[in-house]
Amino acid sequence: MEEVTAPIVTIAEAGKHDGEVITLRGWLYNQRESGKLLFPIFRDGSGLMQGVVPKNAAPEAFEALKGLTQESSVIVTGKVRADQRAPGGFEMDVSHVQVLQRVSEADPYPISLKDHGVDFLMEHRHLWLRSPRQAAILRIRAEIIRSCREFFDNGGFTLTDPPILTPAACEGTTTLFPVDYFDEQAFLTQSGQLYIEATAMALGKVYSFGPVFRAEKSKTRRHLTEFWMVEPEVAFAELEDIMLLAEQLVSHVVQSVLSRRRADLEFIGRDISKLENVKAPFHKISYDDAVAILQEGFAKGALETKFEWGGDFGSPDETYIANQFDRPVLVHRYPKVVKAFYMEPDPNRPEVALCCDMLAPEGYGEIIGGSQRAHSHEWLLEKIKEHKLPEEAFQWYLDLRKYGSVPHSGFGMGIERVVAWVCGLEHVRETIPFPRTLHRLYP
């Protein structure tokens, strides 16, 4: 075969080269045959493109592709041609094919185009990622992460990195993964919040982005044991400031995905009209208002159990509340007893905390949790003792209240829950390349 030189282009960019000869590098996703015509579909991580290979016009390419197995790696050259019937609106008249590695027919690619059970797909997650749907989800995830960083980087925030190994709990002592740390015991972090409170006192407006770990034995579709959080912290900010920041962030993220990844959303079948409503300002209601909504729902027979003031919301409660609105809703001022020790009480109602949760619509629940942080040394020390937390492990955290303490606030946004909501996924396990759940540590 004669050597062919043509610009190497990704499938996502191929539409810009209509009428030109290009080279793609990727894998054979699928292929059908119709007499002396082959219709291979190639993938390269950026999308899918169908090829057309006439036996008479390109005999060597035809022979190279005929009978080629799924996921064999290839380099193909041909002319791009607009065709609205083809995936992506373009197809390639293939003229040359180089097969880099042919998947053995004796040991075929295990994930065929037929349906497979979830357990099988999770056991083969390292290969399942190659499917066009999973690839589209991961591209959307990447855009969500990119737009989060863009929002904070352009908003005067400084990225600071908290430790993953910590000496004590942030949220609760029963949801920690212990780690042997030389002659001491450490824990995988539940949140970077306490540490970025320290960097906020140094830099004013900061955020962290990294993995966090929760050891709660939950099997719900919303929970992972390892997930990623973006956490801003702002000196001199109060609860209302941080609620405004949260709605601006989520609005920016959703609109960025709609702008840059609309084709991927359409490919996975997302109802885009529901995302187009996600623009600031969001609805804001108090915990009291939310309880009233739940009690009204019970009275109408829409909920099986009457919710009483003072409890924390479960998944059915969050779903019912959020379904009353056309975009995310911020619920603020929960009872202090159901929230973390470091939250500032409302000076007008000490029984409630200056905190907020953002609930996503369509049953996706809490995607953001935040609060104004306690800034009194004496009050915080008392709460640490009340919660039976090791005072010595929090001495550095108490120091922040001794030397120039100021009101400050922040929140955490779970990336995987946002991905699940934006993509309209039934389970959070598809939102991260290799999910870690109660019974899943492989691959």
Side-chain angles (χ1 to χ4, degrees):
M1 182 184 297
E2 62 181 286
E3 184 177 348
V4 176
T5 58
I8 297 171
V9 175
T10 66
I11 289 173
E13 299 170 332
K16 300 175 184 177
H17 298 268
D18 188 16
E20 300 175 19
V21 176
I22 65 168
T23 294
L24 300 177
R25 300 186 295 193
W27 298 264
L28 181 67
Y29 172 65
N30 192 21
Q31 184 165 246
R32 63 184 178 88
E33 184 175 349
S34 178
K36 295 183 178 181
L37 283 175
L38 294 179
F39 298 94
I41 297 178
F42 304 107
R43 67 167 193 87
D44 71 347
S46 73
L48 298 175
M49 173 168 273
Q50 178 173 284
V52 180
V53 193
K55 183 176 183 179
N56 294 337
E60 292 183 351
F62 186 93
E63 290 304 318
L65 286 169
K66 185 175 174 62
L68 191 62
T69 44
Q70 183 186 1
E71 284 302 306
S72 293
S73 49
V74 295
I75 299 176
V76 296
T77 300
K79 181 179 287 189
V80 177
R81 175 166 44 83
D83 188 330
Q84 293 305 311
R85 299 168 299 176
F90 293 88
E91 61 184 16
M92 172 188 277
D93 292 323
V94 178
S95 54
H96 295 82
V97 176
Q98 179 186 356
V99 178
L100 298 182
Q101 193 253 343
R102 182 188 182 99
V103 174
S104 170
E105 294 182 14
D107 186 16
Y109 184 66
I111 302 179
S112 66
L113 299 184
K114 68 178 183 181
D115 290 334
H116 294 279
V118 170
D119 286 342
F120 176 87
L121 291 171
M122 292 307 300
E123 283 292 311
H124 295 83
R125 181 63 173 167
H126 52 297
L127 301 177
W128 188 26
L129 294 173
R130 302 183 185 188
S131 73
R133 176 179 170 81
Q134 297 303 309
I137 292 169
L138 292 186
R139 287 192 293 268
I140 293 169
R141 174 192 172 94
E143 175 56 27
I144 288 171
I145 292 170
R146 188 207 65 80
S147 59
C148 283
R149 292 184 180 276
E150 175 185 68
F151 176 84
F152 290 116
D153 291 343
N154 292 345
F157 286 73
T158 301
L159 174 67
T160 62
D161 302 313
I164 289 175
L165 292 169
T166 66
C170 172
E171 298 290 344
T173 56
T174 61
T175 58
L176 292 163
F177 283 111
V179 178
D180 289 333
Y181 192 73
F182 303 108
D183 296 328
E184 300 181 63
Q185 186 175 62
F187 303 94
L188 296 180
T189 185
Q190 300 163 309
S191 165
Q193 177 211 311
L194 304 190
Y195 291 93
I196 60 172
E197 284 187 53
T199 58
M201 296 305 107
L203 297 164
K205 295 167 64 177
V206 300
Y207 77 101
S208 68
F209 182 85
V212 293
F213 307 84
R214 301 285 170 91
E216 56 190 321
K217 294 184 177 180
S218 175
K219 297 180 182 178
T220 79
R221 66 188 184 94
R222 297 181 181 180
H223 287 86
L224 295 171
T225 56
E226 176 185 342
F227 57 101
W228 286 69
M229 287 257 281
V230 59
E231 299 181 88
E233 197 75 27
V234 185
F236 300 99
E238 298 183 344
L239 176 62
E240 283 67 27
D241 301 313
I242 219 71
M243 291 171 67
L244 177 62
L245 185 70
E247 69 177 4
Q248 289 173 338
L249 169 64
V250 172
S251 178
H252 175 79
V253 166
V254 172
Q255 295 306 314
S256 292
V257 173
L258 286 170
S259 173
R260 297 168 64 96
R261 287 295 167 194
R262 182 176 290 265
D264 283 326
L265 290 170
E266 292 173 343
F267 180 82
I268 64 176
R270 183 59 162 119
D271 183 348
I272 291 177
S273 65
K274 293 183 177 180
L275 296 177
E276 289 173 336
N277 289 325
V278 182
K279 297 178 182 178
F282 294 172
H283 306 282
K284 300 178 184 66
I285 63 173
S286 68
Y287 172 88
D288 297 342
D289 296 333
V291 170
I293 289 172
L294 292 175
Q295 291 180 345
E296 182 181 352
F298 174 75
K300 292 179 178 178
L303 293 170
E304 295 181 0
T305 305
K306 184 177 181 181
F307 188 91
E308 299 294 342
W309 195 100
D312 202 3
F313 300 138
S315 295
D317 305 316
E318 291 179 344
T319 297
Y320 187 81
I321 294 165
N323 283 346
Q324 310 309 307
F325 305 94
D326 66 346
R327 64 196 69 189
V329 57
L330 282 154
V331 182
H332 56 86
R333 292 175 171 79
Y334 285 69
K336 189 76 177 69
V337 294
V338 300
K339 290 299 181 179
F341 73 94
Y342 51 74
M343 294 185 180
E344 180 79 7
D346 188 330
N348 299 315
R349 290 180 65 192
E351 71 275 16
V352 301
L354 294 176
C355 64
C356 65
D357 288 348
M358 183 183 289
L359 308 181
E362 304 174 75
Y364 285 93
E366 179 193 337
I367 56 173
I368 282 178
S371 73
Q372 185 171 328
R373 320 308 192 185
H375 59 273
S376 164
H377 179 277
E378 292 74 19
W379 188 91
L380 185 60
L381 177 59
E382 180 184 331
K383 293 303 168 185
I384 287 173
K385 290 178 178 178
E386 279 184 18
H387 285 76
K388 296 181 171 58
L389 297 171
E391 186 179 332
E392 64 280 2
F394 288 93
Q395 194 56 57
W396 68 269
Y397 188 59
L398 288 164
D399 278 352
L400 303 179
R401 277 74 181 170
K402 289 171 63 178
Y403 307 111
S405 184
V406 300
H408 58 289
S409 304
F411 62 79
M413 184 174 82
I415 294 298
E416 285 73 23
R417 286 193 181 180
V418 173
V419 175
W421 163 51
V422 169
C423 292
L425 305 179
E426 292 185 6
H427 201 291
V428 75
R429 64 184 163 228
E430 292 183 64
T431 63
I432 190 169
F434 295 97
R436 295 293 176 249
T437 60
L438 182 57
H439 300 297
R440 172 66 57 189
L441 193 58
Y442 176 91

